């Protein structure tokens, strides 16, 4: 420790003693530290030397003045900038939270002990980080301290992708928190570092994630940032894009409902890595309930209608399409069936009327086709079928940005249901269980849309998400999610995420109970984080960490 | 803990009564530090004729001539009482004495320059001299590892002193001044004091005469007192109380220098007062006033007065020291200089805790 320059001395007082969990130290003159810096102190007890590591939580500056009045008096009674020969007695001190001791000594750090900044090795030991080349290491970002030390932070994959822990949630204000960029960094690292995972990404905004297989225009500095993690600065591999089908309009000759530039889109179709998804009645009848997953159904009438549609022979016609389905529903809605005595649903006409209205507005989009086209230029596919064919190493990007909220829910629900069914052997007839990727990661933004805090209890999407988050880690279904406000997400969903990432947010959000367990200085810091800085919480790390991460290696939209 | 002291006492047939050790600082009321009232008011003791007061200019960027600040402090405790073979009942007093000097660098930061500490056990001189020497040498030797200290005598004079304990405390106080002089001697020997880097000693200088061997060491030293006797009449020709004149001093005004001789007439001092802080913001009319003493050396004695330019420079420097303050931390803040306050803090923080010290005997 003597070779590194000391930064301060531990101080314990009557009113502010040191404890097993924290200690205070005053800083030398001209010493600069920041919250989240790691420091170390020798802690000798019973003749045994050990080192206690702490993370700086808060920094204070005090003088010997008991109040502002005294400071006012000391400035010659209110002279701004009053010059004095003697500097007021003042000091800067910091409070650090104990994160580790290398000899299992948890006695409070004694007063007078010298404090040193931790170097890279110290930080890795103190935090219990895996080495960069460890098989289970997944890069989580770069930790930078005030004394210029940079340490790549490595997650333990057992706690990100299971079985010990799983699921990752990122929260923060749009545009500032870089949630998507961080998630993509993690996914890129996972694609590089693992050989048993597949990834499904839902693009919810513009064309942000629709070029992830194309080389980005990074300068040398940004490329070098990836070296710290031993990851190649390359775009994603084995990417397939799925766009909502749209009838051809204009002169572009594209039939994808997307914001992506048509030239890029055409390239993707030409390369065979893009398809347009549709929904037909015969194939996707069971997804109707997903269409209405965010509609309140307190009396379970919609549930009853879904059950009736699933089981009744009235709707079991193989030739039925959306148009004929709507007509059939109308028969129930206008009371025709009831009047004729053919209504076996035992569901009130009013309920059928409501259902009919909902259906009529919902299935007007072009993705609802009466039948699949054979024209290769339309490249129509059933999304669930494509997802069920996912292989290890694949990255499926499903664009839902231009769909309305209800359809987005349906598509998302379709994806997670398919993955769930795939993992539960529902596709055993179509593929060998060994060929199914061991782990499938689903990344979705705006999780609060699919699992809001006040979700209808019978929401099928919510139920699937609860299944995934509560049991998915042992089944190999991993959810990576993001939202603006963590407090808007269902408690059980976010509670089951073992890794939580916090980007820049606002003061109202940090006042919510979700942030109660976070030390005040850290939650306050969340309102001031720079773009690209995040605070991470992971079960293996003994404290919250502030990290930055590299620029995305793929092409980004021009803004 | 009293076992060791009792062992020596009993050998000389002195009965020692131990008691709960008590800190005496709150019992001892410190008098004003004016010992002598030997003032010569026939003429002012400076080169300029300034009347009853003089206004000093406030510089836009104040300058200071002071870089060193000294303070001494002591803590006293009653350890017990003794009955001598001649049936004298006298207290046993212990004390910690500390004197320190701080240096202020050009950036305004204070640093410890020197610190001296000493511990004492005071026994009445009613004890036989040889018995005293026996107790002193034996006890000092045996206590060396636990608490280095000196055993000294005090003489209680019923006509002069009200209580024996106060006599013992006064002796301890004088030991404190000895430490201050010792520090000053060494500072002068190392040539750190200059006219641009003078020393402020907290308190009056006039208690020192009997101890000063070489007055020249006070060339770059002044004594600044934050408390003084406002009822002295001998500073004024018309027997007005000095407090009356001082109450009329405005901010940045000073009185003329008055000549004062030490009680043994061997040394001459220049004494004057300055109001360093604004008057109208406080209730007490003497708030903000400090008393300054400077030893008159050869030049002053030859010219029968201090150079007024020097007095103005010193006074202006002190006015510049008015910020910052120790408001809220010390009741005497209006008359206290902040660097002296910090020096006092340093000195007092060097003491052992009362409970620990008092129970070492």
């Amino acid at each position: 420790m003597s070779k590194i320059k000391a930064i301060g001395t531990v101080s314990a007082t009557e009113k502010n003693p040191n404890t097993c969990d924290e200690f205070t130290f005053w800083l030398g003159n001209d010493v600069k530290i920041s919250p989240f810096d790691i420091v170390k102190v020798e802690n000798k007890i019973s003749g045994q030397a050990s080192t206690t590591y702490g993370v700086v939580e808060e920094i204070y500056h005090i003088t010997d003045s008991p109040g502002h009045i005294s400071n006012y008096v000391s400035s010659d009674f209110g002279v701004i900038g009053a010059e004095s020969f003697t500097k007021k007695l003042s000091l800067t001190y910091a409070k650090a939270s104990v994160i580790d001791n290398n000899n299992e000594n948890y006695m409070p750090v004694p007063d007078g002990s010298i404090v040193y900044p931790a170097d890279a090795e110290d930080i890795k030991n103190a935090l219990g980080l895996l080495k960069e080349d460890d098989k289970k290491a997944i890069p989580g970002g770069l930790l930078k301290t005030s004394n210029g030390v940079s340490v790549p932070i490595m997650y333990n994959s057992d706690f990100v992708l299971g079985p010990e822990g799983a699921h990752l949630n990122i929260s923060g204000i749009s545009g500032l928190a870089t949630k998507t960029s961080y998630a993509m960094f993690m996914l890129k690292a996972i694609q590089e570092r693992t050989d048993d995972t597949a990834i499904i990404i839902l693009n919810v905004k513009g064309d942000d994630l629709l070029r992830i297989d194309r080389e980005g225009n990074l300068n040398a500095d940004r490329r070098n940032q990836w070296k710290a993690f031993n990851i190649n600065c390359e775009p994603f591999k084995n990417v397939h894009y799925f766009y909502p089908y749209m009838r051809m309009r204009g002169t572009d000759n594209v039939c994808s409902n997307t914001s992506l530039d048509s030239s890029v889109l055409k390239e993707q179709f030409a390369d065979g890595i893009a398809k347009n998804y549709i929904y037909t009645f015969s194939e996707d009848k069971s997804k109707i309930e997903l269409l209405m997953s965010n509609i309140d159904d307190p009396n379970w009438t919609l549930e009853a209608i879904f059950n009736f549609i699933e089981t009744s022979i009235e709707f079991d016609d193989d030739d039925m399409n959306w148009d004929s389905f709507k007509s059939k529903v109308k028969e129930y809605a206008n009371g025709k069936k009831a009047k004729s005595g053919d209504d076996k649903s035992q569901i009130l006409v009013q309920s059928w009327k409501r259902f009919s209205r909902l259906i009529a507005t919902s299935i007007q989009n072009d993705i609802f086709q009466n039948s699949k086209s054979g024209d290769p230029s339309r490249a129509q596919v059933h999304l669930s079928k494509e997802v069920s064919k996912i292989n290890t190493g694949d990255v499926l990007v499903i664009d839902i940005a231009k769909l309305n909220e209800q359809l987005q829910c349906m598509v998302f629900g379709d994806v997670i249901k398919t993955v769930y069914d795939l993992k539960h052997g529902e596709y055993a007839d179509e593929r060998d269980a060994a060929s199914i990727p061991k782990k499938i990661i689903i990344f979705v933004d705006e999780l609060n849309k699919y699992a809001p805090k006040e979700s209808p209890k019978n929401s099928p999407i919510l139920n699937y998400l609860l299944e995934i988050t509560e049991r998915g880690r042992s089944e190999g279904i991993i959810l990576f999610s993001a939202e603006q406000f963590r407090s808007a997400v269902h408690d059980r969903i976010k509670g089951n995420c073992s890794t939580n990432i916090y980007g820049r947010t606002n003061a109202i959000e940090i006042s919510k109970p979700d942030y109660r367990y976070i030390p005040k200085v850290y939650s306050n810091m969340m309102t001031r984080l720079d773009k690209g800085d995040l605070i991470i919480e992971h079960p293996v790390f003994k404290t919250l960490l502030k990290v930055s991460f590299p620029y995305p290696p793929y092409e980004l939209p021009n803004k | 803990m009293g076992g060791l002291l009792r062992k020596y006492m009993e050998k000389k047939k002195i009965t020692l009564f131990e008691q709960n050790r008590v800190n005496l600082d709150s019992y001892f009321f410190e008098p004003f530090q004016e010992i002598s009232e030997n003032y010569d008011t026939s003429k002012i003791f400076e080169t300029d004729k300034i009347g009853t007061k003089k206004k000093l200019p406030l510089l836009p960027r104040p300058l200071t001539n002071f870089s060193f600040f000294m303070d001494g402090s002591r803590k006293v405790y009653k350890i017990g009482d003794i009955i001598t073979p001649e049936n004298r009942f006298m207290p046993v007093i212990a004390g910690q004495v500390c004197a320190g000097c701080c240096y202020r660098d050009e950036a305004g930061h204070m640093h410890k320059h020197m610190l001296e500490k000493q511990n004492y056990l005071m026994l009445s001189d009613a004890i036989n001299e040889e018995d005293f020497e026996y107790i002193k040498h034996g006890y000092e030797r045996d206590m060396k590892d636990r608490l280095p200290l000196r055993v000294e005598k005090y003489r209680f004079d019923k006509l002069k002193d009200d209580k024996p304990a106060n006599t013992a405390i006064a002796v301890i106080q004088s030991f404190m001044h000895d430490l201050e002089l010792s520090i000053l001697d060494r500072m002068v020997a190392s040539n750190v004091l200059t006219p641009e880097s003078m020393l402020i000693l907290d308190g009056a200088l006039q208690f020192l005469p009997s101890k000063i061997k070489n007055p020249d060491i006070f060339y770059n030293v002044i004594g600044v007192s934050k408390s003084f006797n406002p009822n002295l009449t001998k500073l004024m020709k018309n027997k007005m109380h000095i407090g009356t004149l001082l109450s009329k001093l405005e901010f940045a005004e000073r009185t003329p220098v008055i000549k004062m001789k030490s009680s043994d007439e061997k040394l001459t001092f220049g004494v004057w007062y300055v109001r360093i802080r604004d008057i109208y913001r406080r209730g007490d009319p003497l708030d903000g006033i400090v008393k300054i003493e400077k030893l008159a050396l050869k030049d002053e004695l030859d010219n029968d007065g201090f150079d007024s330019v020097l007095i103005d420079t010193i006074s202006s420097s002190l006015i510049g020291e008015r910020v910052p303050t120790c408001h809220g931390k010390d009741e005497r803040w209006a008359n206290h200089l902040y660097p002296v306050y910090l020096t006092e803090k340093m000195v007092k923080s060097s003491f052992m805790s009362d409970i620990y010290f008092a129970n070492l005997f």
Side-chain angles (χ1 to χ4, degrees), chain A residues 355-375:
Chain A
F355 181 73
S356 177
R357 275 197 313 274
L358 289 169
I359 281 291
T361 51
S362 300
I363 60 174
Q364 282 181 353
N365 193 284
D366 285 349
I367 61 170
F368 293 98
Q369 293 289 310
N370 284 332
S371 60
K372 182 177 160 189
S373 168
D375 183 350

Side-chain angles (χ1 to χ4, degrees), chain B residues 45-71:
Chain B
F45 197 48
E46 62 176 292
T47 50
D48 289 357
K49 306 279 178 267
I50 66 166
T52 56
K53 57 181 181 172
K54 180 179 180 181
K55 182 81 180 177
L56 296 160
L58 285 175
L59 302 174
R61 282 195 68 87
L63 302 170
T64 181
N65 286 63
F66 299 102
S67 297
F68 293 90
F69 307 88
M70 192 189 311
D71 187 41

Side-chain angles (χ1 to χ4, degrees), chain B residues 24 29 68 101 128 133 152 161 169 175 236 274 278 321 334:
Chain B
L24 292 177
F29 178 69
F68 293 90
C101 179
N128 170 272
E133 290 299 321
E152 300 292 344
D161 308 313
I169 292 169
F175 293 146
M236 309 296 298
V274 181
D278 246 336
E321 296 282 354

Side-chain angles (χ1 to χ4, degrees), chain A residues 69-102:
Chain A
I69 291 274
S70 299
N71 277 340
Y72 173 86
V73 169
S74 285
S75 296
D76 214 7
F77 293 90
V79 172
I80 296 170
E83 294 204 33
S84 62
F85 300 131
T86 311
K87 286 278 178 287
K88 207 111 171 55
L89 190 62
S90 64
L91 77 93
T92 305
Y93 69 94
K95 194 172 85 162
S97 180
V98 173
I99 49 174
D100 192 41
N101 180 281
N102 64 355

